[in-house]
Amino acid sequence: MSVETTPRTSSAPVPHRWRNLFTLTGSTAIDSTEQSAISTIFPTIASALGLNSGHLGIMTAAGKIASAPAGPAWTWLAARTSRKFVLVTTSLVGGLFGVAAGLSHEFWMLLVFNTLMAASLVGGSPVANAFIMDCFEDRRRGQAMSVLYGVAAAIGSFTGPLLGLFTQLDDGWRIGLFTMGAIAIAAGLAQWVLIRDPGIGASEPELGDLDQTKRGSERADLASILSLFRVPTFSIMMLSRMLSGHLLITVFGVTFLVDERGFDNATASIVLVPFGLGYLAGIFGGGAVLARLDDVLPHRGRVWYIQAAQVLFAVAALIGTQSEATSIWYYATFWALMGACQGMNPPVNRPIISSVISPHQRGQAMAIFITVFETLAWAAFSLGAGQLAEVLSIEGVFFWVLGVMMIVNALVLGLLHRTYPRDCVRMAGLLNAQRDRAMQRRADADVDD
């Protein structure tokens, strides 16, 4: 017996989605702050253990290197166990390693525990992103990403200075790490109590009304991972990640203002405040704009938006870094604009990927995007720019990386005008076919009964 089905165009809101989002937002902010805790209080650690900035570089690099394979590994474990289990475990284990780091009495102990902490906490990010995509329908995902990253950034901007207050106490850096570790453990327990996994594909109109067991489970085998790169839009987004030169402004921005514009360190650091505020404005405003664009220009609106973010960043960077001024507020203005343009990206790049990748593969897609390619880009730009700055100056590096390369990135993203609508239609077809098969099996079971 056959059953005739029609594609669904809407689905009821996923239960508990806002509670899930805000719980994961809080834990993301705490995990991110704990990962950066060592950097925040490193001067005090250096004084206590006899370290220097080279040791900080080693720890930072080790954490990034460990994070690259750890992200996909945690996502694989989520597919084998459950996403909630991994979300809770990464926070608990990361918190324990953070406490252990506070017990360190020599550099190698600190290095090992900090690296293990980074490898633990990184697993929560791709799993949380895929989890939230299953809580919100495609049109609302930009707004959900705005909340996740915007609120987390806002919380982080306050917890960083608060963490610095511990350095005024004897062995205050240890107390700070103990405190952050304990908070991360508490965040893990909160996730265990509060979040409710709706299951793979719960927010998809084609699958949402099916029983969770009929939607299928997450795939995390090697063949499935490699198949992601056969999706043209996904491959373009990975290439774009490697061309995302705006990562460099947070690494060398203050150093540029000190070494090549003559400001003292304290004055140059002022630009970090407007940059952070601009980032928040870009990420929250971006989510609202994208919801409107999806109505006016389905599929293509997102492509124009992400291209505009790259071009606007390049313009702000070229004007702000290639001209000289005596006032720090001149630079603060352009740092705010660069922050806003950088903040425009999270609400759009993750929904673009999610709408062309099967719900069953999104966890690994996010792991590759967030932990692998972002790590490669971070390492390439940080190490390469440091070497080029010796030859070209930081201003010269900024011209090519923040300006020219970002325009090239926008041109590469223009390829999405051709691939993205087609990949969205293809994915809708695959989900509808899965729905038809599930409905057919249901009809056959009814006949057998």
Side-chain angles (χ1 to χ4, degrees):
M1 175 180 179
S2 64
V3 58
E4 184 175 332
T5 63
T6 57
R8 301 173 72 238
T9 58
S10 63
S11 57
V14 175
H16 312 297
R17 59 180 185 172
W18 289 107
R19 185 174 72 181
N20 288 339
L21 176 60
F22 285 114
T23 302
L24 290 174
T25 296
S27 62
T28 298
I30 292 166
D31 290 349
S32 298
T33 302
E34 186 177 8
Q35 283 184 283
S36 62
I38 295 289
S39 299
T40 303
I41 58 179
F42 183 76
T44 306
I45 298 175
S47 177
L49 300 183
L51 309 181
N52 56 47
S53 58
H55 293 97
L56 177 60
I58 292 172
M59 286 194 296
T60 304
K64 290 290 185 180
I65 292 170
S67 296
W74 280 113
T75 309
W76 174 86
L77 182 61
R80 292 294 181 271
T81 55
S82 74
R83 295 188 292 192
K84 182 173 180 176
F85 172 78
V86 166
L87 289 167
V88 172
T89 301
T90 53
S91 291
L92 294 178
V93 174
L96 290 173
F97 283 131
V99 171
L103 297 172
S104 300
H105 293 285
E106 58 183 1
F107 172 67
W108 292 108
M109 288 180 64
L110 186 64
L111 174 65
V112 169
F113 288 129
N114 183 67
T115 302
L116 291 173
M117 179 182 67
S120 300
L121 295 177
V122 73
S125 184
V127 175
N129 272 258
F131 190 101
I132 291 171
M133 297 303 169
D134 284 327
C135 290
F136 291 86
E137 66 273 20
D138 183 67
R139 187 178 179 277
R140 302 294 299 274
R141 287 171 185 162
Q143 292 172 297
M145 289 295 102
S146 295
V147 172
L148 178 68
Y149 286 98
V151 174
I155 293 173
S157 67
F158 288 102
T159 54
L162 289 175
L163 186 61
L165 294 177
F166 286 109
T167 61
Q168 299 177 10
L169 305 173
D170 291 337
D171 274 344
W173 65 272
R174 297 184 188 277
I175 300 174
L177 291 177
F178 293 159
T179 302
M180 289 307 304
I183 293 174
I185 291 171
L189 296 175
Q191 292 176 96
W192 177 56
V193 173
L194 295 175
I195 64 173
R196 299 288 184 272
D197 193 340
I200 300 295
S203 63
E204 304 302 329
E206 300 87 353
L207 305 180
D209 65 334
L210 298 178
D211 184 84
Q212 185 171 333
T213 59
K214 301 295 191 299
R215 297 188 222 129
S217 58
E218 187 164 0
R219 299 196 299 270
D221 55 278
L222 180 60
S224 177
I225 294 172
L226 294 177
S227 71
L228 295 171
F229 292 93
R230 292 200 292 269
V231 180
T233 294
F234 182 78
S235 295
I236 292 169
M237 291 298 291
M238 296 306 104
L239 175 59
S240 172
R241 196 65 166 177
M242 295 301 296
L243 295 173
S244 296
H246 54 64
L247 299 172
L248 205 61
I249 193 64
T250 57
V251 179
F252 289 99
V254 172
T255 300
F256 161 75
L257 293 173
V258 172
D259 292 351
E260 300 188 19
R261 291 297 183 262
F263 296 101
D264 62 74
N265 202 156
T267 302
S269 298
I270 290 174
V271 300
L272 298 178
V273 175
F275 182 88
L277 294 174
Y279 182 85
L280 291 176
I283 202 168
F284 283 119
V289 170
L290 281 166
R292 302 291 183 270
L293 279 177
D294 285 339
D295 290 335
V296 178
L297 295 169
H299 298 159
R300 297 189 184 278
R302 294 181 178 182
V303 181
W304 287 116
Y305 175 94
I306 197 171
Q307 283 186 285
Q310 318 312 307
V311 172
L312 291 173
F313 183 95
V315 171
L318 288 172
I319 297 175
T321 67
Q322 302 303 305
S323 55
E324 297 188 26
T326 58
S327 172
I328 191 63
W329 300 111
Y330 172 87
Y331 295 102
T333 300
F334 289 100
W335 255 249
L337 293 173
M338 285 187 282
C341 295
Q342 190 167 331
M344 291 169 65
N345 285 281
V348 68
N349 52 28
R350 288 152 176 81
I352 283 177
I353 292 172
S354 294
S355 56
V356 300
I357 298 296
S358 166
H360 311 87
Q361 295 175 289
R362 282 183 192 149
Q364 285 295 339
M366 290 298 170
I368 292 170
F369 181 65
I370 296 170
T371 68
V372 177
F373 275 78
E374 182 175 292
T375 298
L376 291 174
W378 178 91
F381 285 123
S382 297
L383 298 176
Q387 298 299 315
L388 285 174
E390 297 296 322
V391 179
L392 300 177
S393 75
I394 301 180
E395 180 180 323
V397 172
F398 279 179
F399 173 82
W400 289 104
V401 177
L402 303 186
V404 175
M405 186 175 290
M406 291 299 288
I407 293 174
V408 171
N409 193 11
L411 294 174
V412 168
L413 288 166
L415 297 172
L416 295 177
H417 286 292
R418 178 176 178 82
T419 66
Y420 183 58
R422 185 172 58 199
D423 286 338
C424 286
V425 171
R426 176 190 59 83
M427 182 49 55
L430 291 175
L431 294 178
N432 276 314
Q434 181 180 348
R435 175 181 175 77
D436 288 347
R437 289 192 296 271
M439 298 298 287
Q440 182 66 61
R441 287 193 294 269
R442 179 188 297 177
D444 291 343
D446 290 343
V447 170
D448 292 339
D449 290 341

